[in-house]
Amino acid sequence: MTLRRRGEKATISIQEHMAIDVCPGPIRPIKQISDYFPRFPRGLPPASGPRAEAPPDAAARPTAASAGRRRPSDGARDDDEDVDRLFGAYGASPGPSPGPSPARPPAKPPEDEPDADGYESDDCTALGTLDFSLLYDQENNALHCTISKAKGLKPMDHNGLADPYVKLHLLPGASKANKLRTKTLRNTLNPTWNETLTYYGITDEDMIRKTLRISVCDEDKFRHNEFIGETRVPLKKLKPNHTKTFSICLEKQLPVDKTEDKSLEERGRILISLKYSSQKQGLLVGIVRCAHLAAMDANGYSDPYVKTYLKPDVDKKSKHKTAVKKKTLNPEFNEEFCYEIKHGDLAKKTLEVTVWDYDIGKSNDFIGGVVLGINAKGERLKHWFDCLKNKDKRIERWHTLTNELPGAALSD
């Protein structure tokens, strides 16, 4: 025994502390699953055996001693009543009832049973979450999509893991032309990509009417890739030149509207620069790049090149052509052509720009075109007039390609 001074607090060892107020009390047997789903006759609980052999009038001859003996065993009696109720639900009785008893409702299934489908109904738990950020660069007409990471993805492979990657589409008009994707990360449910995917040629009009679809998929080498989950972000939620960060639960695949207005279909975008050079006494036409071109080949890509004409072209010498870019829907050309012409004659001219898919052994396929000049409309007309007003100034604009040949496009 340890003596302590008056006023000094008693010290208790960790062993004594853990032994205080931790007694669980009387230990009762843990019910097994067979108690809930009995089998006949082996499923009968041992406590119900003597009750079946009791005389029918046992309840009619109670004594004080027997009453006193039964009171301490209320817990066992409750267990027997549970068994009786269970057998009543199955339409059977283990033995004669000791007396009249009120009708009891059938046994209810366990309350946790409805949660069996909770894994599928709770998309956050079932499919995982995705962290990403979006930035609309208004000056350069670019949409930057940074895919950061995903957490708790749904297992898709036999090893309980997945090989996830992320792909992007712009709606309406989702196709291979506007699909971007990240690299694939192997054997993980919590991948970290930190990749930035960029859409070029995005206009203010696109930001109003288009939606970004972000899908997470599992890559398989020997069969089709499997869909895990997706989310969709209307681009009108973004502010120009302001990065917005998202952490969103993935959802099951949503249907794509097949009844989209066909007038919204596009053949791609082209970035053109115009400049009238006083030094060279001519018009400089720059073919910078194309984006989201229509796929013309069986492999889902095209081999694009661009042709330009300055019309009317009496001598048929105004044709210029870029190099062919193989197997791409987003080619970069960065080529410039010069048309020697007086500045005052430009108002009478029209610039035709067409994009083609190069094919070996057969005629090339027309992808789309655009016409700039006094007979054009909207941004095409504005681009042409800005070039005429601002000598020696290079002006770049994105234009939408149409599926009509330039001669027909003049009537738009």
Side-chain angles (χ1 to χ4, degrees):
M1 180 176 179
T2 303
L3 298 177
R4 57 187 175 90
R5 298 177 183 177
R6 182 177 300 176
E8 183 180 356
K9 293 184 178 180
T11 57
I12 303 176
S13 65
I14 187 65
Q15 291 83 358
E16 294 173 325
H17 176 74
M18 295 300 293
I20 296 176
D21 294 335
V22 296
C23 180
I27 299 177
R28 300 181 64 181
I30 300 175
K31 290 189 178 183
Q32 300 184 11
I33 192 170
S34 58
D35 293 336
Y36 295 97
F37 301 97
R39 297 178 181 178
F40 302 97
R42 295 170 57 188
L44 292 175
S48 62
R51 287 174 56 91
E53 300 175 358
D57 58 344
R61 295 182 282 107
T63 61
S66 62
R69 283 195 302 267
R70 273 201 299 264
R71 282 174 187 153
S73 60
D74 286 342
R77 183 177 60 185
D78 293 340
D79 289 344
D80 292 343
E81 290 177 356
D82 291 340
V83 175
D84 293 341
R85 187 185 307 114
L86 181 63
F87 279 106
Y90 285 90
S93 176
S97 174
S101 59
R104 297 184 179 91
K108 295 182 180 179
E111 294 182 358
D112 295 338
E113 189 171 334
D115 294 338
D117 294 333
Y119 184 82
E120 294 295 332
S121 62
D122 186 356
D123 289 338
C124 269
T125 302
L127 305 178
T129 60
L130 181 66
D131 295 348
F132 61 95
S133 62
L134 302 177
L135 169 63
Y136 173 49
D137 184 353
Q138 191 174 32
E139 182 179 356
N140 297 310
N141 296 103
L143 176 64
H144 303 287
C145 313
T146 301
I147 307 299
S148 301
K149 61 183 179 180
K151 294 179 290 185
L153 294 180
K154 180 180 179 181
M156 304 298 291
D157 298 337
H158 295 298
N159 59 2
L161 300 174
D163 302 321
Y165 67 92
V166 177
K167 63 180 180 179
L168 310 180
H169 284 104
L170 283 175
L171 303 175
S175 66
K176 199 161 190 173
N178 63 34
K179 183 184 84 170
L180 301 176
R181 62 161 288 175
T182 67
K183 61 186 178 183
T184 301
L185 299 181
R186 302 290 177 186
N187 296 324
T188 179
L189 299 180
N190 301 284
T192 300
W193 290 281
N194 289 327
E195 282 190 55
T196 299
L197 309 174
T198 301
Y199 281 104
Y200 294 99
I202 301 298
T203 63
D204 291 341
E205 181 184 358
D206 293 328
M207 297 300 294
I208 294 175
R209 68 181 182 87
K210 285 191 175 289
T211 297
L212 180 65
R213 178 187 182 187
I214 306 177
S215 306
V216 182
C217 299
D218 171 61
E219 183 177 287
D220 279 319
K221 292 183 179 179
F222 305 107
R223 53 181 180 174
H224 292 295
N225 297 340
E226 295 179 291
F227 175 86
I228 297 178
E230 72 170 35
T231 186
R232 299 185 185 184
V233 180
L235 297 185
K236 61 185 178 181
K237 289 186 175 181
L238 305 180
K239 296 180 180 179
N241 307 314
H242 178 75
T243 301
K244 187 168 184 179
T245 303
F246 298 84
S247 182
I248 298 181
C249 294
L250 297 175
E251 302 177 82
K252 297 177 182 178
Q253 193 163 16
L254 302 174
V256 177
D257 187 6
K258 300 295 184 181
T259 60
E260 295 169 357
D261 187 356
K262 297 300 180 182
S263 65
L264 298 179
E265 286 187 358
E266 302 170 358
R267 305 303 294 252
R269 307 285 178 88
I270 186 168
L271 180 58
I272 302 173
S273 68
L274 298 178
K275 174 185 174 182
Y276 185 82
S277 174
S278 301
Q279 181 181 1
K280 296 183 178 181
Q281 290 294 306
L283 175 67
L284 302 180
V285 178
I287 305 300
V288 183
R289 69 186 303 160
C290 294
H292 325 318
L293 294 179
M296 307 301 292
D297 296 337
N299 60 5
Y301 293 96
S302 294
D303 301 319
Y305 67 95
V306 179
K307 293 193 296 186
T308 64
Y309 294 89
L310 191 62
K311 294 186 175 182
D313 181 19
V314 179
D315 300 329
K316 296 185 178 180
K317 295 181 179 179
S318 68
K319 175 183 174 181
H320 289 284
K321 185 171 72 171
T322 69
V324 177
K325 302 296 180 180
K326 294 289 186 180
K327 197 178 178 182
T328 178
L329 301 176
N330 298 279
E332 292 188 42
F333 298 100
N334 294 316
E335 297 187 38
E336 192 172 69
F337 310 116
C338 180
Y339 292 99
E340 294 183 2
I341 186 173
K342 294 180 181 179
H343 183 267
D345 294 338
L346 277 179
K348 305 174 186 177
K349 295 289 185 177
T350 296
L351 179 67
E352 293 182 1
V353 181
T354 55
V355 183
W356 298 79
D357 170 54
Y358 177 75
D359 287 319
I360 300 176
K362 59 180 182 178
S363 60
N364 299 329
D365 298 319
F366 174 72
I367 297 179
V370 64
V371 176
L372 307 179
I374 57 174
N375 292 323
K377 294 181 180 180
E379 285 295 322
R380 296 170 293 169
L381 177 62
K382 187 175 184 300
H383 193 186
W384 188 254
F385 276 143
D386 287 345
C387 173
L388 298 182
K389 291 179 184 177
N390 301 280
K391 286 185 179 181
D392 301 313
K393 182 179 179 181
R394 189 171 186 263
I395 301 174
E396 281 188 359
R397 295 279 169 80
W398 282 95
H399 296 284
T400 300
L401 298 173
T402 67
N403 57 356
E404 294 179 329
L405 288 170
L410 289 173
S411 61
D412 289 350

